[in-house]
Amino acid sequence: MTDTEQLLARVASKARTTRPWGWPSLPAPVDSAAVTRAEAALGFPLPPLLAELYLRIGDGGFGPEYGLLPLLDSPPSGEPAAVPQYLSNRKSGRKDPDWPWPVGVLPISHWGCAMYACVDCLAPGAPVLLFEPNADTSDHAWYVDAPSLAHWLQAWVEGTGWYEETNDDTDLPPWPDFSERTAQPS
């Protein structure tokens, strides 16, 4: 069994036994057509591990805090789905150039207070970023939550994420690629 297979098994096991706020049950996984539609709407492929979460475990409803967002359709908790949220954020960012949304950065989980965990779908390893919009400026609103989606999932399964009570004093590093990823083409 590969490391990815082991991680998926651990995530699936925890997903079956825990429910984030607002999720009465674990939704069924999506089919490959849903992933294809999502990627077509986004204009970029999902990282393989993220696609596998949706294809094999469930269409959201598991993970830290409010859980993974569904891929295309809104869940029973009323949270937005990942793809429509990304498209909305990109549109809003074009209207408000002081708060651009980086290309290829897909929100995957809501933390509350407008904060999101996001996967950088264009970077190797699919780093997970924290968007914390309560900052003074947009370039101070982005942090590296985990160097990869695999690390982020491991932290959730093991209970070692920055959001755990025992890690209150964890400082996340700023995301260095924000300016590059939000630059307007000349």
Side-chain angles (χ1 to χ4, degrees):
M1 187 181 283
T2 68
D3 289 345
T4 299
E5 289 296 325
Q6 289 176 351
L7 178 59
L8 285 167
R10 292 178 68 204
V11 169
S13 177
K14 187 164 182 173
R16 285 189 297 271
T17 60
T18 60
R19 279 291 65 69
W21 178 86
W23 291 90
S25 62
L26 181 64
V30 301
D31 58 21
S32 59
V35 171
T36 300
R37 284 193 317 275
E39 291 175 337
L42 293 168
F44 52 83
L46 295 176
L49 180 55
L50 184 60
E52 289 300 312
L53 292 173
Y54 285 111
L55 288 166
R56 293 168 57 175
I57 298 175
D59 190 16
F62 62 93
E65 292 302 313
Y66 296 140
L68 206 67
L69 298 172
L71 192 56
L72 291 166
D73 300 313
S74 291
S77 66
E79 291 294 324
V83 172
Q85 185 65 47
Y86 171 79
L87 297 173
S88 174
N89 291 348
R90 291 284 296 155
K91 183 177 180 181
S92 293
R94 286 189 292 275
K95 290 180 182 175
D96 183 358
D98 290 335
W99 284 89
W101 190 269
V103 65
V105 176
L106 181 68
I108 61 165
S109 183
H110 190 226
W111 290 111
C113 299
M115 295 171 32
Y116 282 91
C118 306
V119 173
D120 184 348
C121 296
L122 304 182
V128 176
L129 308 172
L130 172 66
F131 174 62
E132 209 292 62
N134 303 301
D136 295 341
T137 61
S138 61
D139 59 335
H140 292 118
W142 291 92
Y143 299 90
V144 178
D145 184 331
S148 70
L149 180 57
H151 282 94
W152 189 77
L153 292 167
Q154 287 170 338
W156 173 63
V157 168
E158 296 168 1
T160 59
W162 61 265
Y163 43 84
E164 300 291 340
E165 284 185 33
T166 56
N167 296 328
D168 277 349
D169 58 351
T170 301
D171 287 329
L172 299 177
W175 182 42
D177 298 338
F178 174 77
S179 297
E180 175 185 319
R181 296 289 286 286
T182 57
Q184 297 296 321
S186 337

